[in-house]
Amino acid sequence: MTDNAYTIRTATPQDVALAVDWAAAEGWNPGLSDAACYGGIDAGGFLVGELDGEVIATISAIRYGKEFGFIGFYIVRPDKRGHGYGWQLWQAGMDQLKGRVIGLDGVVAQQDNYRKSGFELAYRNIRYEGHGGDACPECPSDFDRNIRPLADIPFDELAAFDRPFFPEARPDFLRAWIAQPEATARALVRDGRLAGYGVCRPCREGYKIGPLYAEDAKGAESLFAALTATVPTGAPYYLDTPETNPAAVSLAKRHGMTLSFETARMYAGQAPDLPLDRLFGVTSFEVG
């Protein structure tokens, strides 16, 4: 696709790294290994817009399986905004996902613009911020004995547990996500079976917990305690929770976390039926 000197093409790994840098500049605080994890989901899932051979816009339009896609990293370089370059790239990303249910996490102020492209609000995701070493007087002081390193769990069992929480199977992404350098991944095991898991990854600033999936609030509490125990004292950490899960919101508030950001989870097409009552922490606003 071209428009005079403006060209849209598939991103290279270097372009994906640039998109992550731009996301950091926008204040999105990506993880240190996000570029490597995201770039491996879908070889053609990132697009860039070039003007006179220079990248000025990015978007991810990642294809999962045959029926689902997710839009993210929609960024136009500040000095090139307002000229229609982003809109052309948006259309290219939507075309790439044509025929699929498409999800996104957008800033709340842009909901009306996304509705023009066929998206409808499903619920809000709330980002809460806490700090390593913060005490929770209402919470147990010891860790659940059922907490294990996630690496101890056979991958097929983990993939089967993860499957209901996402519209399509995502084994390649999952393998990369749980093995990020310097990340902590923990499993909750009850009666010899996996009952929850969570990952805490280092970011440009502090740490993010996600996903955090558990059968119930008690299990989520145990995983949360095990993950936050690895965060250095005073360092910020973040948990992105669906507002529609009151137990997740309660967990964050009980630990003294404060609201720092929110997004609108929207879908074009039939919204997937996810077990939001067991979804205590979103994996990523950028890729779902």
Side-chain angles (χ1 to χ4, degrees):
M1 179 184 300
T2 62
D3 179 10
N4 298 325
Y6 185 60
T7 303
I8 293 174
R9 61 167 175 80
T10 301
T12 66
Q14 292 76 19
D15 295 326
V16 175
L18 177 64
V20 173
D21 285 343
W22 284 6
E26 293 291 323
W28 299 355
N29 192 26
L32 299 183
S33 298
D34 282 7
C37 292
Y38 297 160
I41 305 173
D42 175 4
F46 277 75
L47 303 175
V48 296
E50 283 188 332
L51 186 63
D52 296 323
E54 185 177 17
V55 175
I56 64 162
T58 67
I59 198 169
S60 61
I62 295 175
R63 294 160 290 199
Y64 290 96
K66 296 182 178 180
E67 298 182 354
F68 186 66
F70 203 87
I71 291 279
F73 286 99
Y74 182 37
I75 308 171
V76 179
R77 208 172 70 188
D79 62 310
K80 299 299 181 183
R81 293 173 184 174
H83 301 286
Y85 299 124
W87 174 240
Q88 291 182 61
L89 188 59
W90 169 267
Q91 290 178 307
M94 290 293 289
D95 285 345
Q96 181 158 290
L97 300 180
K98 186 176 296 185
R100 298 167 180 261
V101 173
I102 307 171
L104 62 78
D105 274 304
V107 295
V108 175
Q110 292 297 320
Q111 283 186 57
D112 288 342
N113 286 333
Y114 293 133
R115 284 193 179 96
K116 294 174 183 177
S117 293
F119 288 84
E120 292 296 334
L121 177 68
Y123 51 87
R124 295 193 308 162
N125 282 320
I126 309 297
R127 173 164 294 169
Y128 287 96
E129 177 180 349
H131 293 85
D134 286 352
C136 174
E138 303 175 22
C139 302
S141 59
D142 57 342
F143 295 151
D144 194 315
R145 294 181 180 180
N146 293 323
I147 298 296
R148 305 281 190 274
L150 189 57
D152 291 352
I153 305 300
F155 183 77
D156 288 348
E157 184 178 355
L158 172 62
F161 184 87
D162 183 80
R163 181 64 188 87
F165 293 94
F166 202 74
E168 289 274 6
R170 49 178 181 174
D172 293 340
F173 168 75
L174 196 57
R175 285 184 190 277
W177 194 254
I178 65 175
Q180 295 179 62
E182 301 182 51
T184 300
R186 295 289 183 262
L188 174 68
V189 179
R190 290 173 174 164
D191 300 322
R193 60 180 179 78
L194 185 62
Y197 84 95
V199 177
C200 180
R201 75 191 196 279
C203 297
R204 301 291 178 96
E205 179 185 356
Y207 299 78
K208 286 182 183 175
I209 298 170
L212 179 59
Y213 302 154
E215 289 183 334
D216 52 41
K218 182 179 179 180
E221 181 77 55
S222 296
L223 285 164
F224 182 86
L227 294 170
T228 56
T230 68
V231 176
T233 298
Y237 62 80
Y238 305 90
L239 177 69
D240 300 330
T241 65
E243 188 182 38
T244 51
N245 182 346
V249 173
S250 177
L251 183 153
K253 292 182 177 180
R254 190 164 59 252
H255 284 267
M257 301 181 77
T258 56
L259 191 155
S260 66
F261 185 66
E262 66 180 80
T263 68
R265 171 58 64 91
M266 306 182 77
Y267 294 100
Q270 181 65 45
D273 184 17
L274 303 179
L276 296 177
D277 61 325
R278 294 183 284 136
L279 200 165
F280 290 80
V282 178
T283 301
S284 162
F285 285 161
E286 287 73 40
V287 297

